[in-house]
Amino acid sequence: MASHQIDALTQALARLPGLGPRSARRAVLHLMKKREGALEPLLAALQSVADNLSTCSTCGNLDTRNPCAICIDPRRDDKSLCVVEEVADLWALDRSRLFPGRYHVLGGRLSALEGVRPEDLGIDKLVARVTAGGIDEVVLAMNATLEGQTTAHYLAERLDKFPIRLTQLAHGLPVGGELDYLDEGTLAQALRARRPVA
């Protein structure tokens, strides 16, 4: 039997995404065995983030500075803005290093079932950024869900009056995907988005 503190640590880790009770126990045992090499650096990193974590007032990203590292990066293209649902989406896109512009995090997606309305999201802040000028293209990078596409459609209506190029991420066949294993929605989107063979 572990002490109350160790049990509390295990339970806290088990609540993290991707970790269940068994994985959390293994992680705690590893941290205890490697106290100086793993536990103490982890504690220091967690404390540093806890002390400095903030939401970027410009884009909605989570970082230890405000504005965030992306918003203050002078190498970014100020004329391109990519709109995402959540911070995890921003991090996934930015990891690819394929989008050179700036981001805007909505903080969710429209959902009648969950009671999420336009005023619950960062849509007005997005419109204000576009209204301020200097943006040539807005990329709608919503997830390929019904709620994501509803949100993209709503944003397209709100941004229609601005002299910008409004684009959306392509949806369809994944690289390496076999037609037999794909759902009807993915196949339908791939057929709608077909293009000429070069």
Side-chain angles (χ1 to χ4, degrees), residues 3 11 13 40 43 54 84-85 103 115 141 154 174:
S3 72
Q11 289 178 22
L13 288 177
E40 291 173 4
L43 289 173
S54 65
V84 295
E85 293 176 18
Y103 292 93
Y154 179 82

Side-chain angles (χ1 to χ4, degrees), residues 35-99:
R35 183 177 181 148
E36 278 120 31
L39 180 61
E40 291 173 4
L42 176 63
L43 289 173
L46 285 171
Q47 190 62 56
S48 176
V49 169
D51 292 343
N52 299 299
L53 185 65
S54 65
T55 301
C56 179
S57 58
T58 304
C59 73
N61 188 17
L62 291 175
D63 204 344
T64 54
R65 62 179 95 175
N66 185 17
C68 72
I70 292 173
C71 286
I72 63 172
D73 186 348
R75 298 168 295 179
R76 294 278 177 169
D77 180 6
D78 292 327
K79 295 180 180 187
S80 297
L81 186 65
C82 182
V83 182
V84 295
E85 293 176 18
E86 299 287 354
V87 172
D89 303 324
L90 184 158
W91 290 1
L93 281 169
D94 204 52
R95 245 189 341 264
S96 74
R97 300 187 189 278
L98 296 173
F99 182 72

